[in-house]
Amino acid sequence: MTPVSSLSQGISVFRTLDEISFITFPSRLDWLLLAVCVKGEVSATIDVAPRRLTPSSIMVLRPGHIINHCKASDDFEGFFIVVKEEKLNELLPSMHFVIPYSLHYNANPVITITPDELQTQQLIYTMINRQLGGKDRPFNGMALASLCEVLFYNTLGIYASRTQDTHIRSRREELLSSFIDLIEANFKKERSVNFYADKLFVTPKHLSAVLKEISGRTAGEWIDHRVILEAKMLLRTTGMNIQEISLALNFSNQSFFGKYFKHLTGISPRDYRSKLSEA
């Protein structure tokens, strides 16, 4: 079976490992991988640990994992959904609910799911598959983005239901969680690492070091990440002009906002919005 789509739209679905031709092992992922097993199994080494995906189980791998020795049994039935990190970032304007569970399933990527949960995942997969087949339809890109958002939050909900009563967060995870909460409350007005460090009673250097160690991003990178997510969301979903968006995000002027946005994304806000209209 030929894959329905390449990653040109930021997302693709596959029925077998052989179809994911861009994977070579070992590979450090720069995209998110969701694997769902209905029958048979998939085995792999994730980072340094052996993992097995068995019937009625799912696996989520975020960017940064190293995957090796990946093999599916001859009777495997299921599917794989691959999402580029940039596409994932566009779908998640809020990090508040994501961080605690994403940290946990970094170390616990495979979980067993119920028949109802499996059926729901298969339904969403089918809808995404069909949407990928209609690339020329008006608003196809927006519909696909909405389905990806449903898939992500449904999967996150499954993981959350398994971890909320069992996972005891470390002090480092608590610091990250508190930092993210502060970002959500203040990012439109405060982009200084010193501001957040003061609120958390730590030094900026300690804050960035801890965040880098457990999340892969420094404090400054997390702040920029959140501001850019919001900017993209406003460009994508509102009729606000660029000057209005720059004011909403507390930039001193439209020019400074434009330079900031282009520095972090490689494209100007105007060009970003134009590309959306062409999707």
Side-chain angles (χ1 to χ4, degrees):
M1 175 179 174
T2 303
V4 175
S5 169
S6 69
L7 280 174
S8 59
Q9 297 186 68
I11 180 171
S12 193
V13 296
F14 305 93
R15 300 291 299 205
T16 70
L17 281 175
D18 293 338
E19 293 170 358
I20 313 178
S21 57
F22 53 87
I23 292 183
T24 56
F25 301 113
S27 179
R28 183 184 295 275
L29 304 186
D30 56 4
W31 27 263
L32 180 140
L33 170 67
L34 167 66
V36 177
C37 180
V38 179
K39 180 183 177 183
E41 70 172 50
V42 175
S43 60
T45 301
I46 310 300
D47 298 325
V48 296
R51 305 286 185 181
R52 289 177 64 245
L53 192 66
T54 54
S56 294
S57 64
I58 62 175
M59 178 173 66
V60 175
L61 297 178
R62 297 175 67 238
H65 281 294
I66 296 176
I67 184 170
N68 198 12
H69 305 121
C70 194
K71 183 179 180 181
S73 63
D74 292 339
D75 61 343
F76 171 79
E77 292 180 13
F79 57 88
F80 306 87
I81 299 180
V82 176
V83 184
K84 283 185 177 179
E85 187 171 19
E86 175 67 15
K87 171 63 72 173
L88 186 65
N89 288 341
E90 288 180 4
L91 303 175
L92 305 174
S94 174
M95 301 177 290
H96 175 76
F97 301 106
V98 176
I99 294 302
Y101 302 116
S102 64
L103 286 174
H104 184 62
Y105 67 62
N106 264 0
N108 303 274
V110 180
I111 62 172
T112 301
I113 58 178
T114 68
D116 285 346
E117 290 167 340
L118 177 60
Q119 186 176 23
T120 300
Q121 293 290 87
Q122 289 177 296
L123 176 61
I124 299 172
Y125 157 78
T126 299
M127 295 174 69
I128 290 175
N129 202 352
R130 290 177 179 173
Q131 199 66 39
L132 284 168
K135 289 183 287 188
D136 297 329
R137 286 198 300 265
F139 305 109
N140 180 75
M142 295 177 70
L144 182 60
S146 296
L147 287 171
C148 290
E149 193 169 5
V150 170
L151 174 69
F152 180 86
Y153 282 112
N154 184 71
T155 304
L156 186 67
I158 293 172
Y159 274 87
S161 68
R162 305 301 196 276
T163 63
Q164 58 188 359
D165 296 325
T166 60
H167 180 50
I168 300 175
R169 289 188 290 187
S170 68
R171 289 184 179 180
R172 293 175 182 178
E173 290 173 336
E174 289 286 356
L175 181 62
L176 175 58
S177 182
S178 297
F179 173 69
I180 294 300
D181 287 345
L182 281 174
I183 289 182
E184 289 297 324
N186 298 282
F187 75 91
K188 291 181 181 179
K189 293 184 178 180
E190 297 289 348
R191 290 189 291 277
S192 166
V193 175
N194 287 345
F195 170 85
Y196 295 97
D198 287 345
K199 291 288 186 181
L200 294 167
F201 305 104
V202 296
T203 67
K205 183 177 180 180
H206 176 75
L207 177 62
S208 284
V210 171
L211 299 187
K212 180 70 172 180
E213 182 178 347
I214 68 172
S215 73
R217 287 192 178 108
T218 65
E221 289 168 343
W222 270 115
I223 296 165
D224 289 340
H225 177 71
R226 184 62 183 93
V227 173
I228 290 297
L229 287 183
E230 187 74 9
K232 287 182 175 180
M233 187 274 292
L234 294 173
L235 288 165
R236 189 173 68 248
T237 64
T238 75
M240 297 170 68
N241 62 40
I242 294 173
Q243 182 177 0
E244 290 170 333
I245 293 173
S246 68
L247 290 173
L249 295 175
N250 202 40
F251 284 87
S252 56
N253 55 62
Q254 179 178 333
S255 176
F256 182 42
F257 168 65
K259 292 177 181 178
Y260 175 89
F261 188 94
K262 187 170 184 177
H263 173 70
L264 292 171
T265 67
I267 190 172
S268 70
R270 194 177 307 278
D271 288 343
Y272 176 80
R273 178 170 267 174
S274 296
K275 285 183 63 178
L276 292 172
S277 65
E278 297 169 0

